[in-house]
mmCIF file of all heavy atoms in Angstrom:
data_model
loop_
_atom_site.group_PDB
_atom_site.id
_atom_site.type_symbol
_atom_site.label_atom_id
_atom_site.label_comp_id
_atom_site.label_asym_id
_atom_site.label_seq_id
_atom_site.Cartn_x
_atom_site.Cartn_y
_atom_site.Cartn_z
ATOM 1 N N VAL G 156 -31.360 18.009 0.178
ATOM 2 C CA VAL G 156 -31.385 17.702 -1.258
ATOM 3 C C VAL G 156 -30.832 16.305 -1.517
ATOM 4 O O VAL G 156 -31.465 15.480 -2.185
ATOM 5 C CB VAL G 156 -30.600 18.767 -2.051
ATOM 6 C CG1 VAL G 156 -30.541 18.386 -3.534
ATOM 7 C CG2 VAL G 156 -31.234 20.138 -1.883
ATOM 8 N N ALA G 157 -29.649 16.024 -0.989
ATOM 9 C CA ALA G 157 -29.057 14.699 -1.179
ATOM 10 C C ALA G 157 -29.820 13.639 -0.397
ATOM 11 O O ALA G 157 -30.020 12.516 -0.877
ATOM 12 C CB ALA G 157 -27.592 14.709 -0.757
ATOM 13 N N LEU G 158 -30.268 14.002 0.812
ATOM 14 C CA LEU G 158 -30.976 13.040 1.661
ATOM 15 C C LEU G 158 -32.233 12.525 0.974
ATOM 16 O O LEU G 158 -32.498 11.318 0.959
ATOM 17 C CB LEU G 158 -31.332 13.701 2.998
ATOM 18 C CG LEU G 158 -32.013 12.805 4.032
ATOM 19 C CD1 LEU G 158 -31.056 11.741 4.541
ATOM 20 C CD2 LEU G 158 -32.545 13.645 5.196
ATOM 21 N N THR G 159 -33.025 13.430 0.393
ATOM 22 C CA THR G 159 -34.302 13.035 -0.209
ATOM 23 C C THR G 159 -34.129 12.319 -1.540
ATOM 24 O O THR G 159 -35.100 11.817 -2.096
ATOM 25 C CB THR G 159 -35.218 14.256 -0.409
ATOM 26 O OG1 THR G 159 -34.527 15.260 -1.165
ATOM 27 C CG2 THR G 159 -35.631 14.831 0.933
ATOM 28 N N ARG G 160 -32.908 12.254 -2.037
ATOM 29 C CA ARG G 160 -32.630 11.458 -3.233
ATOM 30 C C ARG G 160 -32.115 10.065 -2.871
ATOM 31 O O ARG G 160 -31.762 9.279 -3.747
ATOM 32 C CB ARG G 160 -31.652 12.202 -4.144
ATOM 33 C CG ARG G 160 -32.365 13.284 -4.951
ATOM 34 C CD ARG G 160 -31.461 14.413 -5.385
ATOM 35 N NE ARG G 160 -32.189 15.362 -6.244
ATOM 36 C CZ ARG G 160 -33.058 16.277 -5.805
ATOM 37 N NH1 ARG G 160 -33.320 16.371 -4.512
ATOM 38 N NH2 ARG G 160 -33.665 17.098 -6.651
ATOM 39 N N ASN G 161 -32.071 9.795 -1.564
ATOM 40 C CA ASN G 161 -31.699 8.474 -1.065
ATOM 41 C C ASN G 161 -32.809 7.837 -0.236
ATOM 42 O O ASN G 161 -33.004 6.632 -0.256
ATOM 43 C CB ASN G 161 -30.441 8.570 -0.181
ATOM 44 C CG ASN G 161 -29.175 8.818 -0.946
ATOM 45 O OD1 ASN G 161 -28.315 7.946 -1.061
ATOM 46 N ND2 ASN G 161 -29.019 10.006 -1.481
ATOM 47 N N VAL G 162 -33.527 8.670 0.504
ATOM 48 C CA VAL G 162 -34.448 8.217 1.540
ATOM 49 C C VAL G 162 -35.877 8.622 1.164
ATOM 50 O O VAL G 162 -36.092 9.694 0.584
ATOM 51 C CB VAL G 162 -34.046 8.839 2.896
ATOM 52 C CG1 VAL G 162 -35.052 8.514 3.976
ATOM 53 C CG2 VAL G 162 -32.654 8.363 3.309
ATOM 54 N N GLN G 163 -36.845 7.785 1.507
ATOM 55 C CA GLN G 163 -38.247 8.088 1.232
ATOM 56 C C GLN G 163 -38.692 9.346 1.992
ATOM 57 O O GLN G 163 -38.161 9.655 3.068
ATOM 58 C CB GLN G 163 -39.124 6.907 1.625
ATOM 59 C CG GLN G 163 -38.962 5.682 0.735
ATOM 60 C CD GLN G 163 -39.376 5.974 -0.702
ATOM 61 O OE1 GLN G 163 -40.421 6.547 -0.957
ATOM 62 N NE2 GLN G 163 -38.534 5.575 -1.641
ATOM 63 N N PRO G 164 -39.657 10.106 1.450
ATOM 64 C CA PRO G 164 -40.018 11.410 2.019
ATOM 65 C C PRO G 164 -40.349 11.406 3.510
ATOM 66 O O PRO G 164 -39.850 12.257 4.260
ATOM 67 C CB PRO G 164 -41.230 11.827 1.185
ATOM 68 C CG PRO G 164 -41.011 11.173 -0.142
ATOM 69 C CD PRO G 164 -40.371 9.849 0.178
ATOM 70 N N LYS G 165 -41.181 10.482 3.980
ATOM 71 C CA LYS G 165 -41.567 10.511 5.393
ATOM 72 C C LYS G 165 -40.400 10.169 6.312
ATOM 73 O O LYS G 165 -40.286 10.701 7.419
ATOM 74 C CB LYS G 165 -42.765 9.594 5.633
ATOM 75 C CG LYS G 165 -44.075 10.186 5.114
ATOM 76 C CD LYS G 165 -45.261 9.324 5.450
ATOM 77 C CE LYS G 165 -46.573 10.046 5.106
ATOM 78 N NZ LYS G 165 -46.653 10.461 3.694
ATOM 79 N N GLN G 166 -39.525 9.272 5.862
ATOM 80 C CA GLN G 166 -38.343 8.951 6.656
ATOM 81 C C GLN G 166 -37.389 10.138 6.672
ATOM 82 O O GLN G 166 -36.807 10.473 7.717
ATOM 83 C CB GLN G 166 -37.666 7.704 6.092
ATOM 84 C CG GLN G 166 -38.523 6.452 6.212
ATOM 85 C CD GLN G 166 -38.047 5.317 5.334
ATOM 86 O OE1 GLN G 166 -37.476 5.523 4.271
ATOM 87 N NE2 GLN G 166 -38.305 4.089 5.780
ATOM 88 N N ALA G 167 -37.237 10.799 5.526
ATOM 89 C CA ALA G 167 -36.378 11.977 5.459
ATOM 90 C C ALA G 167 -36.927 13.096 6.335
ATOM 91 O O ALA G 167 -36.176 13.760 7.070
ATOM 92 C CB ALA G 167 -36.254 12.447 4.008
ATOM 93 N N MET G 168 -38.245 13.313 6.283
ATOM 94 C CA MET G 168 -38.843 14.369 7.091
ATOM 95 C C MET G 168 -38.678 14.101 8.583
ATOM 96 O O MET G 168 -38.466 15.035 9.374
ATOM 97 C CB MET G 168 -40.323 14.518 6.745
ATOM 98 C CG MET G 168 -40.571 15.303 5.473
ATOM 99 S SD MET G 168 -40.019 17.027 5.578
ATOM 100 C CE MET G 168 -41.352 17.768 6.518
#
Side-chain angles (χ1 to χ4, degrees):
V156 176
L158 183 68
T159 54
R160 281 155 176 77
N161 287 250
V162 174
Q163 291 297 313
K165 285 184 171 57
Q166 295 164 330
M168 281 296 282

